[in-house]
Amino acid sequence: MGTIYLARSLHTAKYVAVFNLAFSDLCGSSALIPKIIDTFLFDNQYISYEVCLTNMFFVFCFMLLQSLNLLVLAYDRLVAICLPLRYHAIVTKTSMSVIVGIIWILSVTVHALLVSLLTRLSFCRSTTVNSYFCDHGPVYKLACNDKTISAIMGYVCTAVLLYIPLLLIAVSYVCIGFALRKIVHGNEKIKAMKTCTSHVMLVALFYVPIISVYTAAFLISLDTNVRTINSALTQTIPPMLNPIIYTLKTEEVMQAIKNLYKRSKVKSAMIEAVSNKKI
């Protein structure tokens, strides 16, 4: 995030989405990891009702933002490879900022509704949530009164969060595949494929664990520990690896880091020279 903010060469439409992905990762980890540490290291397994709903909102809100950001980056790659001559006219900083604003509004609205519907429920029996955070499914299933609307909302959010973005990403890569077949020169094809490598790695890291859990949960009864481990992998490992992947696999970012380092060295040398003159 700091590199993108400081390096003017990275102030492009693509890196508006990359910056938003990094910010979503940071906020999502901040919403989830402190409670995990409190639960597993300090054995504090209690949480108040209000804090539980707040935790649920922020965890799912930033999780949806991560998912939709991967879709936005897929759109960026689709236009860059399929419509290279029109890329800078279609994908502008303004249009990308509008798209990012829309996914923020969508995420906040959907999850505000999701959480507000839980306040209609009554919990008269067990209050033990079978998860490592205030997960929506394990919470609404504890209710004693009618929970049909919350159940429907859970399925809708799962589709919006996981299946629809993944399907659209898959369709975008099918289109990219057809576009790559038309490229005659091998070097251009390799260069185009390299631009997609980082994104494909991020998509796999984010979607594979959680899609496997949610799909299996629809078909069979999953052990709580299995679901917990897979969900934890999705929500903790990708945020840690995203900056590394986008740093090591992207020449633009590496070059920007080198330029910032050289600039800082020159600035330090100038400050040292000025201070020596004063002495």
Side-chain angles (χ1 to χ4, degrees):
M1 285 173 62
T3 302
I4 296 172
Y5 177 77
L6 294 172
R8 291 187 177 182
S9 61
L10 299 180
H11 292 182
T12 60
K14 173 186 173 182
Y15 285 98
V16 169
V18 174
F19 183 90
N20 194 51
L21 176 63
F23 182 75
S24 302
D25 288 340
L26 177 63
C27 294
S29 300
S30 300
L32 184 68
I33 291 177
K35 186 55 189 172
I36 293 177
I37 294 172
D38 190 36
T39 300
F40 291 101
L41 292 186
F42 300 102
D43 199 29
N44 182 11
Q45 299 184 15
Y46 297 95
I47 186 170
S48 68
Y49 178 67
E50 292 79 10
V51 174
C52 179
L53 294 184
T54 304
N55 175 255
M56 182 189 301
F57 171 79
F58 283 110
V59 169
F60 280 108
C61 183
F62 289 113
M63 193 174 174
L64 176 56
L65 282 171
Q66 291 171 38
S67 179
L68 294 179
N69 263 292
L70 292 174
L71 177 58
V72 172
L73 288 169
Y75 163 74
D76 175 82
R77 293 300 84 205
L78 176 67
V79 177
I81 293 173
C82 297
L83 302 168
L85 299 178
R86 299 181 58 194
Y87 174 77
H88 293 291
I90 297 173
V91 185
T92 63
K93 286 172 64 175
T94 303
S95 65
M96 187 61 77
S97 299
V98 170
I99 291 172
V100 168
I102 289 171
I103 67 175
W104 268 89
I105 292 171
L106 175 65
S107 183
V108 170
T109 304
V110 167
H111 290 102
L113 179 60
L114 184 80
V115 172
S116 64
L117 287 172
L118 291 179
T119 60
R120 300 170 59 255
L121 302 178
S122 300
F123 301 92
C124 53
R125 293 191 293 269
S126 172
T127 55
T128 301
V129 180
N130 291 321
S131 183
Y132 61 101
F133 75 106
C134 284
D135 200 348
H136 180 259
V139 170
Y140 86 74
K141 288 178 182 176
L142 297 174
C144 303
N145 56 339
D146 184 26
K147 49 203 173 190
T148 305
I149 297 177
S150 291
I152 293 171
M153 195 65 187
Y155 287 119
V156 170
C157 287
T158 301
V160 172
L161 172 67
L162 297 175
Y163 294 101
I164 293 176
L166 183 59
L167 178 62
L168 293 175
I169 290 171
V171 170
S172 73
Y173 273 100
V174 170
C175 297
I176 288 172
F178 282 114
L180 289 176
R181 289 181 62 186
K182 297 178 182 178
I183 298 176
V184 178
H185 300 290
N187 291 336
E188 292 181 7
K189 185 177 291 188
I190 292 172
K191 185 178 179 181
M193 291 176 67
K194 281 184 177 180
T195 62
C196 299
T197 304
S198 300
H199 183 255
V200 171
M201 292 173 67
L202 297 181
V203 169
L205 285 169
F206 180 83
Y207 284 106
V208 169
I210 198 164
I211 280 285
S212 60
V213 168
Y214 275 88
T215 304
F218 285 130
L219 303 174
I220 58 174
S221 178
L222 279 181
D223 184 81
T224 302
N225 291 331
V226 173
R227 191 167 61 82
T228 297
I229 291 171
N230 276 274
S231 298
L233 288 174
T234 297
Q235 294 171 310
T236 55
I237 292 179
M240 291 189 297
L241 295 182
N242 286 355
I244 299 173
I245 291 172
Y246 261 107
T247 299
L248 298 179
K249 300 292 291 183
T250 309
E251 294 180 9
E252 296 167 299
V253 177
M254 290 297 293
Q255 188 59 45
I257 292 172
K258 290 177 184 177
N259 291 339
L260 288 172
Y261 177 71
K262 290 177 182 177
R263 193 188 308 167
S264 65
K265 285 188 69 177
V266 171
K267 190 174 181 180
S268 300
M270 289 176 66
I271 292 171
E272 187 177 348
V274 171
S275 59
N276 289 337
K277 280 185 179 181
K278 289 181 178 180
I279 294 171

